[in-house]
Amino acid sequence: MATILSKASLYGIVTKKAAELGLNMYAQNYKVDAIQLAMQVCVAPKIEIIEFDNIKICGLLYKGDSSTTIGLNARRSAGGRNFDCMHELMHYWLHNDKDSFYCLDGMSSHIEWQANEGAAQFLMPYQSFIPNYCYLHDKLYAKYMPQKAYEVQVSMLANSYMVGEMSIKIRMKSLKNEIAQYIDGASINKIKIVPNRHKQV
């Protein structure tokens, strides 16, 4: 059974893993190709892009003793597949009590929350995301009406972090308390990670 993790503990694990891989989550231009990363870190990796019948099927993972297979949905966008692959990598790293996983949009359990929130932190780490979000917010909201500014901001952040726009919208909501701290003057390395979902402690 998976260990129950708080948001802060999960972020600590993910940040440590990124550092072990030589990634600087504070970098303004931080960007991760999860498929390339999976090919580097998994045991005998095989990545398959599969024509699933349903776009809600995000991906699957099989961890064998001598090989690893990750299946991603060809019907999802490239950004969506990048997030889905990182979701499966979170299972690969965090959940050693199972050897196979599949993901559907809307699945709700603590291990799925860990995989989703962990993937979000790995691909869109708060350390770079919050400063980038605030910079774009100030720049775009001075130029456009609010709805247009929001749409442009989401699109720019999605392109920057190689994820889908829905991932950016969810990330903005997930980090609303941390963003508020930064706006109030807290430095990025002094921000308190605040729980904001029922699947965490």
Side-chain angles (χ1 to χ4, degrees):
M1 185 174 184
T3 302
I4 301 298
L5 296 172
S6 67
K7 182 177 170 183
S9 296
L10 177 62
Y11 281 17
I13 292 168
V14 172
T15 299
K16 182 179 178 183
K17 175 60 74 173
E20 288 171 359
L21 294 168
L23 299 170
N24 177 11
M25 290 186 154
Y26 289 88
Q28 182 181 9
N29 62 347
Y30 181 91
K31 186 178 291 189
V32 173
D33 183 324
I35 294 173
Q36 286 186 0
L37 184 62
M39 295 299 290
Q40 294 171 16
V41 301
C42 293
V43 176
K46 182 178 182 183
I47 310 293
E48 295 188 15
I49 310 299
I50 303 167
E51 287 280 351
F52 291 114
D53 291 337
N54 190 337
I55 197 170
K56 288 185 175 285
I57 300 172
C58 304
L60 55 87
L61 166 69
Y62 173 72
K63 298 189 296 183
D65 291 337
S66 59
S67 65
T68 305
T69 300
I70 295 176
L72 301 171
N73 194 339
R75 296 179 183 271
R76 291 168 72 83
S77 69
R81 287 194 300 273
N82 197 44
F83 186 91
D84 297 339
C85 187
M86 186 56 68
H87 173 107
E88 300 306 336
L89 275 175
M90 287 297 113
H91 284 309
Y92 181 84
W93 284 322
L94 295 173
H95 306 132
N96 294 320
D97 58 327
K98 290 178 65 177
D99 59 11
S100 63
F101 300 86
Y102 72 95
C103 177
L104 293 172
D105 263 350
M107 287 179 74
S108 178
S109 69
H110 188 70
I111 66 167
E112 290 304 318
W113 171 80
Q114 288 179 4
N116 278 328
E117 195 71 25
Q121 172 61 10
F122 206 106
L123 293 177
M124 301 165 279
Y126 77 88
Q127 296 95 322
S128 72
F129 186 89
I130 292 174
N132 287 339
Y133 166 91
C134 290
Y135 170 78
L136 284 175
H137 187 276
D138 291 346
K139 182 178 176 181
L140 296 172
Y141 279 74
K143 183 176 181 180
Y144 299 112
M145 295 293 287
Q147 185 58 37
K148 177 67 172 175
Y150 172 77
E151 291 168 1
V152 173
Q153 183 180 28
V154 168
S155 176
M156 290 179 73
L157 287 168
N159 288 333
S160 176
Y161 288 101
M162 296 174 59
V163 296
E165 292 189 1
M166 184 56 66
S167 293
I168 294 295
K169 292 175 183 178
I170 293 169
R171 191 64 170 151
M172 289 160 78
K173 288 181 182 177
S174 174
L175 291 175
K176 67 180 180 180
N177 293 310
E178 292 81 1
I179 290 168
Q181 293 174 58
Y182 186 77
I183 290 170
D184 286 343
S187 64
I188 198 67
N189 57 352
K190 297 292 185 183
I191 285 176
K192 180 181 178 185
I193 304 303
V194 181
N196 57 5
R197 292 190 57 178
H198 71 283
K199 293 296 179 186
Q200 58 189 307
V201 294

